[in-house]
Every structure is written in structure tokens, then in C-alpha cells.
Amino acid sequence: MLHLKGISKSYPTKTVLDAVDWHVAPGQRWGLVGPNGAGKSTLIKIVLKQMDADAGTVVIRPRLDVGHLAQELPGDAGRTLQAEMWTAFPRLIALRDKLETLETLMHATHDEAALDALVHEHADVTHEWERLEGYAADARIGRVLHGLGFSEPDRARKVAEFSGGWQMRAALAKLLLERPDLLLLDEPTNHLDLEAISWLEGYLSDYPGALVLISHDRHFLDAVVDHIAELEGGQLSTYTGNYTSYRDQRLARREIQQNAFQRQQKDIARQQAFIERFRASATKSTQAKSREKLLDKLERVEAVADEAGSIRFRFAKAPPTGRIVMTLTDLSKDYGKGPLFRIKKLELEREMRLALVGPNGAGKSTLMRLLANQEKPTTGEVAYGLRVNPGYFSQNQAESLDPENTVIDEAWEVDETVSLTRIRTLLGCFLFRGEDVFKSIAKLSGGERSRLALAKLLLKPHNVLLLDEPTNHLDLGAKEELAEALEAFDGTAVLISHDRYFLDRAATHVLHVEGGQAQLYIGNYSYYLAKREEEEAAAKLVEQGQRAQEAPKPAAAPKVAKLSYKQERALEAAEQHVMDLEERLRTLEAALGDPSTYADVSAAQTLQADYEKVKVDLDAANERWLELAL
């Protein structure tokens, strides 16, 4: 359905696509991976014809419906969310409008022939409406919106009332409702909380069309895709399987290639030694020249390139602290609508790595700011332990960089006593090498800004790290490096992230914040999920038990006087009459639901009259049966 042949694209400083070939078949789910700046988004733009390739062709199957997640919600921001979602069904909207028009005309038409034609057309349009599952459209909208975190009242709100992040959720919801044949998603989990990410994962796992997904969420890729396309150094390599399978296959390929390179190099060395030894020999010079020609024609195996495009660093050794690093006592924060959370008592110990989780808006970032002394609590306090020196990374940290600075100037401002060599070494670990350190902050990408903000955090040693969304804009390799660095860190860390793989590796404790409450779990993210499932299952059992206890006990059946023979026969006859009328009603309903019934308008009207009469007779028959039965 999609075929790329020889696609090339270069910029003044870099070639991102070099004769790329790629084929996406129906039903395939591709994860497009590679380091930041490798050209993944460029490739998607070329497929969408938003950008021209320097060379090559893009072939898309005729009449293929391609859907792409836009960076802003197209449409009318003055519409309600529900109305905007309905625009995902243009065919259903046209049919709905047609049905309304036909019904208006049918009520106003007295000409029998014209009415007959309108009835036929109404039946045809109704059949098409049912074929396209028009009656289920509202339910589909509700299911998708609920999965992405919208409440039922949100459906009546205007799109303009939502924040940018929630408008992006709405754009994703609309795209999912459209169900294109080929779905192109570039970082769809941005702006989603963990619950919405989990729902989207399940939805895409059952998606009937083809899928191309760019994501830096390893867990998400593992659950959704069955093929991986790796873009690196301008080349595209393909693998069958999910992300974990790709990593294993890639490692095996690299080992095979390196072994082949080493074997070839040994053979080349032997051949060259022979050539040098016998080049001037009277008896073997011909043989030496022959081998030299063969070497010139030999197709060389390339050495395995170093892993490119991934940061390499470790946090500095943490200055020593006491066992208790922070103590939270009677802590709450209220912005006038009730407290976001209440924490009666919580102690953070040395080498503890605490993940803050919960839905968007629950107060995770607010709590992080309280821990960093960036904001004052409404009640209670956060008390630091002995010799605590916190380092705080906010989710907007990259936006606080001075756009007038160069990369090296921005880093040097943290501590001007640090040597230039150390600063350049650290920046190199975060992929700012050579002339890159003199780039203006204003010209950096989002990923580069995030890397620089993290690098600045490392220029001074801290024993407590407060990291709010440090994985935003980091590629898969960088996230793994950050997780490894935190695992090796001998201080204390508090983390917020929507990357489940990262949380699973980095966290030793989880604090769930929701609905004004905060609950601590001792274990990593997987342990937390398992315990939450256990708690929810137990709560359901308790609720069912309470309902059973609260339910009124059935009253003892009253003693019924024995019926006479004549009364029993009358009751049986009344019961049979009810059954006969019910069967007649079902037959009439089936006939009225058949579009062919309306070919004869007079007959259709007779059926409708019969239907109404049988309903009246059935009500009377039921009343008669009850009189005899009681």
C-alpha cells in the first residue's frame, strides 16, 4: 500500500536519507526508530507530500486513506468537542442530513406517487446508515474520548476552552475515529498521562489498518508494533518483531558484521604480507600481482560503527547526607477548589528513588515544586535533612534557557569556576561536539534543549535529584542511559515521567497521587501496577458483598389458594393468547423493518395500523392474564 524507492534528502550540513527503500503492506504495524535528528519526521513529511525528496519516488495505492496526527486540532475551535468528533464521519453526517430532509418532505407530501418515491429513498438511505453503523457513532465517540481522559461533561464544552495539550488529545481522538487505511503517528503519547497511554496501546493493538509509529516509549512500541524500521546514518534497516526483538536482532547483526570484518581484515593482512614478500620474486611475482588485483576488487566488509546519537553520562557522586533526606508532614496544596493532595507523613530516605504517578492534573508537578521549595504549601511543611543539596529539573526547564546564549555559555553560567575542558567533555557526553557548542540556544531543537538542560544539572554535584519529565524529547537510547545513570546514582531521586519502561527501571518506590490522596508503594512501577490491580479487585469484592448485605431479603411468597379446574383452563387460555399476540407483534416488526415493505405504500400503511392494534390488544391480554393469575 506504501512503497518508497530510492528516497534521498540532504540539508546543508547533513544527509538524513540516502537512497531509502521501504515497503509497508496492509495490516503491518511499523515502529520507525532512530536517534533524534536521524530523519524520521522528515521521512513522514515526504510520504505526506509536505516536503519534497531530493531523489526517489513515493508510491501510494490509489484511493488509500492516509491519516496523520497534526500538531494542532484542525477544524472550528468554536464547535463543541462532541460536534468536532462528529466531523470524523462526513459520510454519516451527509446521510443524517438526508434522512432529516426526506422525513420533512414525507410529512409535507400528499401525492401518493411522490410519497412512494420518498419512502423508497428513505429506506435506501436508512439501510446505508445502518451499514455504516451510524447508530453506534455516538457510542464510539464516547469510548474513544473516555479512553483518552475526557469526561462526559467535556463533550459539551467548546474545543477552544481546552488547553493545548487537551486539544492535541482531541486531535488524536478524531483521527482514531476516522479509521484511515494507513495511520501515521509521530509521538502520539505526548500530552497523555499513563492511563491514557495504556488505553491507546490497547486500541492500536487491535487497529484494523496499517500503522507507522514514531515513539520514544519502548513499552508502547513493544505492545503495538510487529515490524521495526531503523533509520540511522541515512540508511533504513528493517526488522520483524517488536522493539525488544529488534534490539536482540540488531545486536546479533552487529556481532556477525564485526566478526566478518575481523576475519576479512586478517585475510587481507595475510594477502598483503604475501604480496610484499614476493612482489620482486622471479618465481612468485606473477602470483603476487594476481593476488594484488584480487584485493583491489574485493568488496570490503565495514567495521561496526560506534553507537551514534545517544548521550553518555553518569551523575557525580552524591555528597553524603543523613538517612532521612526529606520529611513531609501534614502537607497539602489548595488553589481554592479543594486540596490537590494531603500527605500526613512521608519520609524520603537516602538512595530512595520515588516515582510520582497519577492522572494529569492530580498535583504531581505541584508536589515536585513543593519538594524543590519553588512553591509554598497551603498546610504543613517539607523539611530537608542534614546536608541536603537538591537539584531541580522542571518539565519546562528547557524553555528557561537564554535564547541569546550559545550552548557553551549557557553551561558555563552554572559555575564559572569549572574548567573549559570539563564543560566541553560534559557537553560532548550530551552530543554537543565540535562546533555544536557554539550554536545559539534559539536554533536548538526541543530534544537538544532538553539535553542541554540535563547537562547543566550535572555541572554541580547534588545528593537529591528532583526530575519532572526529564524524558521529554529524549530518544530511546538517551532514556535508557538516563535510567542507567539513576540506577548507579548513590543519592536520592524523585521522578515524574510518562515512560513506563523508564519508571520500571529507575524507581524503587511509587507514590500514587489522585483525588486529593497520596498512597505509597514500596517497589518499582510493575509492582505498583500489580498491587493496584489487587486493590481494585478486592474493592469490587467488598462492594459486591455490601450490596448483597444491603439488598432487601425477598418477602416470603404468599400462600396462593388452589385454582379450580375452570380457573386453570381460563388462565392457560389467557397465557396462550398473550404468547400468540407477542409472536404476531414480532412478525409485524420484522416486516416493518424490511425496506421492501415500502414498495407498496398502501400495504405498508395497513401493516403499521395492524402493528398499533396488536400492541393495544397485547396490553389488554396481559392485564387479563394478571387478573386470573393473582
Side-chain angles (χ1 to χ4, degrees):
M1 60 196 318
L2 172 66
H3 187 71
L4 278 60
K5 182 67 175 176
I7 298 295
S8 296
K9 183 68 179 179
S10 296
Y11 296 102
T13 59
K14 185 179 183 181
T15 296
V16 292
L17 303 173
D18 186 8
V20 166
D21 295 337
W22 191 22
H23 179 68
V24 177
Q28 289 183 338
R29 307 169 191 277
W30 285 89
L32 181 56
V33 303
N36 283 339
K40 301 184 296 294
S41 295
T42 297
L43 187 60
I44 294 297
K45 288 177 181 178
I46 290 173
V47 170
L48 292 168
K49 298 183 179 179
Q50 296 175 353
M51 180 184 291
D52 293 329
D54 297 336
T57 56
V58 177
V59 180
I60 298 177
R61 192 184 72 199
R63 295 182 296 281
L64 184 75
D65 186 12
V66 180
H68 175 243
L69 180 59
Q71 293 306 305
E72 59 183 25
L73 180 61
D76 184 356
R79 290 192 188 111
T80 65
L81 180 63
Q82 174 76 2
E84 183 63 32
M85 292 304 103
W86 256 98
T87 63
F89 311 119
R91 179 61 180 152
L92 287 179
I93 291 174
L95 291 172
R96 183 183 62 188
D97 293 345
K98 184 67 173 175
L99 286 172
E100 290 176 358
T101 300
L102 288 171
E103 286 163 7
T104 300
L105 291 172
M106 286 166 65
H107 281 97
T109 301
H110 302 289
D111 180 83
E112 187 171 333
L115 180 60
D116 184 34
L118 289 171
V119 168
H120 275 84
E121 188 176 0
H122 188 277
D124 291 340
V125 175
T126 300
H127 178 73
E128 182 66 6
W129 169 268
E130 292 173 346
R131 188 185 70 81
L132 295 177
E133 299 179 342
Y135 293 115
D138 271 330
R140 281 178 57 197
I141 289 172
R143 187 164 58 251
V144 171
L145 289 178
H146 177 74
L148 292 177
F150 291 96
S151 66
E152 189 63 27
D154 283 340
R155 295 169 73 168
R157 292 175 58 192
K158 291 185 177 180
V159 172
E161 297 175 14
F162 293 97
S163 67
W166 283 94
Q167 287 193 29
M168 284 305 302
R169 289 196 191 203
L172 176 58
K174 182 177 173 181
L175 181 60
L176 296 178
L177 289 167
E178 288 170 350
R179 290 181 180 173
D181 303 319
L182 174 60
L183 190 56
L184 306 177
L185 297 176
D186 190 346
E187 291 293 346
T189 57
N190 286 352
H191 311 292
L192 300 185
D193 56 27
L194 288 165
E195 291 182 1
I197 291 172
S198 180
W199 176 86
L200 179 61
E201 181 181 286
Y203 186 94
L204 292 178
S205 295
D206 296 328
Y207 190 74
L211 172 68
V212 175
L213 170 67
I214 298 175
S215 178
H216 291 153
D217 186 325
R218 176 172 177 165
H219 192 289
F220 192 70
L221 286 168
D222 266 348
V224 173
V225 306
D226 52 27
H227 289 74
I228 293 288
E230 179 196 48
L231 191 58
E232 187 172 11
Q235 302 296 311
L236 189 81
S237 303
T238 59
Y239 300 80
T240 299
N242 63 8
Y243 184 80
T244 297
S245 174
Y246 142 76
R247 294 285 293 180
D248 294 340
Q249 292 177 62
R250 185 176 187 272
L251 180 60
R253 283 190 189 183
R254 289 172 65 85
E255 288 179 356
I256 291 170
Q257 181 181 343
Q258 187 62 23
N259 290 337
F261 170 76
Q262 291 173 350
R263 286 195 302 271
Q264 189 182 63
Q265 289 300 304
K266 287 180 181 178
D267 185 58
I268 289 172
R270 284 195 300 270
Q271 297 295 343
Q272 286 179 334
F274 180 90
I275 292 166
E276 292 300 322
R277 180 178 179 185
F278 296 109
R279 188 188 301 275
S281 169
T283 58
K284 294 188 177 180
S285 62
T286 302
Q287 190 176 355
K289 289 179 182 178
S290 177
R291 292 193 183 192
E292 190 172 22
K293 289 180 180 178
L294 288 174
L295 272 185
D296 290 340
K297 296 178 180 179
L298 180 66
E299 186 176 343
R300 305 296 176 105
V301 177
E302 294 185 3
V304 173
D306 292 336
E307 295 281 0
S310 190
I311 61 176
R312 293 284 183 270
F313 75 98
R314 288 293 181 269
F315 291 105
K317 183 172 178 59
T321 64
R323 183 180 68 85
I324 303 301
V325 176
M326 282 188 194
T327 302
L328 285 60
T329 308
D330 296 324
L331 191 69
S332 73
K333 185 64 181 181
D334 190 338
Y335 291 108
K337 296 182 179 180
L340 282 172
F341 50 78
R342 285 192 181 93
I343 300 176
K344 187 170 182 60
K345 182 85 169 183
L346 178 63
E347 293 181 335
L348 274 65
E349 299 184 4
R350 185 177 59 246
E351 297 189 14
M352 181 175 176
R353 298 192 298 275
L354 177 68
L356 305 182
V357 304
N360 284 352
K364 303 185 296 295
S365 291
T366 299
L367 177 55
M368 188 72 85
R369 289 194 296 273
L370 298 183
L371 299 182
N373 274 337
Q374 300 292 309
E375 199 170 328
K376 297 298 182 184
T378 303
T379 65
E381 65 171 353
V382 176
Y384 286 177
L386 188 65
R387 295 186 296 275
V388 167
N389 175 29
Y392 174 51
F393 180 95
S394 74
Q395 59 179 303
N396 299 318
Q397 192 83 16
E399 298 174 11
S400 67
L401 303 177
D402 186 347
E404 301 298 323
N405 272 344
T406 63
V407 170
I408 195 165
D409 288 339
E410 185 72 20
W412 217 336
E413 285 183 358
V414 176
D415 187 350
E416 294 182 355
T417 65
V418 177
S419 70
L420 177 62
T421 300
R422 184 178 170 223
I423 287 179
R424 293 208 62 162
T425 300
L426 177 62
L427 290 175
C429 292
F430 282 82
L431 308 183
F432 296 106
R433 297 165 182 151
E435 295 299 311
D436 289 343
V437 300
F438 301 113
K439 288 174 68 174
S440 167
I441 301 293
K443 295 182 179 179
L444 298 182
S445 67
E448 289 171 328
R449 287 171 179 250
S450 289
R451 295 203 308 268
L452 179 55
L454 268 177
K456 288 178 63 178
L457 190 64
L458 268 67
L459 280 167
K460 283 187 175 180
H462 301 283
N463 44 31
V464 176
L465 297 174
L466 306 172
L467 307 178
D468 189 352
E469 296 289 2
T471 55
N472 279 359
H473 303 293
L474 295 184
D475 61 27
L476 286 156
K479 287 181 180 181
E480 292 199 21
E481 187 69 18
L482 179 57
E484 287 182 16
L486 284 168
E487 286 177 313
F489 180 55
D490 56 352
T492 304
V494 182
L495 317 165
I496 298 175
S497 176
H498 290 156
D499 189 295
R500 291 159 294 175
Y501 176 80
F502 172 77
L503 289 179
D504 222 24
R505 287 192 58 180
T508 60
H509 297 67
V510 174
L511 185 70
H512 180 89
V513 182
E514 185 175 7
Q517 303 299 317
Q519 184 173 353
L520 182 67
Y521 297 83
I522 302 174
N524 67 0
Y525 186 71
S526 290
Y527 172 82
Y528 150 77
L529 287 179
K531 291 299 292 182
R532 290 279 294 178
E533 287 181 4
E534 288 179 13
E535 290 168 0
E536 288 172 4
K540 285 181 180 178
L541 288 175
V542 169
E543 184 181 353
Q544 290 170 357
Q546 289 175 343
R547 286 178 180 173
Q549 290 177 358
E550 293 170 0
K553 294 182 179 180
K559 293 182 179 180
V560 180
K562 184 175 176 62
L563 297 176
S564 67
Y565 176 80
K566 185 176 180 180
Q567 288 173 323
E568 285 181 356
R569 298 290 76 77
L571 182 61
E572 289 175 2
E575 185 175 353
Q576 185 61 48
H577 186 47
V578 168
M579 293 170 64
D580 291 342
L581 289 172
E582 287 176 341
E583 179 62 30
R584 174 62 179 157
L585 196 66
R586 284 193 290 271
T587 301
L588 289 169
E589 286 175 343
L592 290 170
D594 185 353
S596 64
T597 297
Y598 300 93
D600 185 338
V601 175
S602 177
Q605 291 173 342
T606 301
L607 279 174
Q608 184 67 43
D610 287 348
Y611 176 76
E612 298 298 334
K613 182 178 183 303
V614 170
K615 284 205 302 183
V616 172
D617 291 346
L618 181 58
D619 289 340
N622 275 312
E623 289 180 11
R624 173 61 178 159
W625 178 82
L626 285 171
E627 288 175 4
L628 293 170
L630 297 177

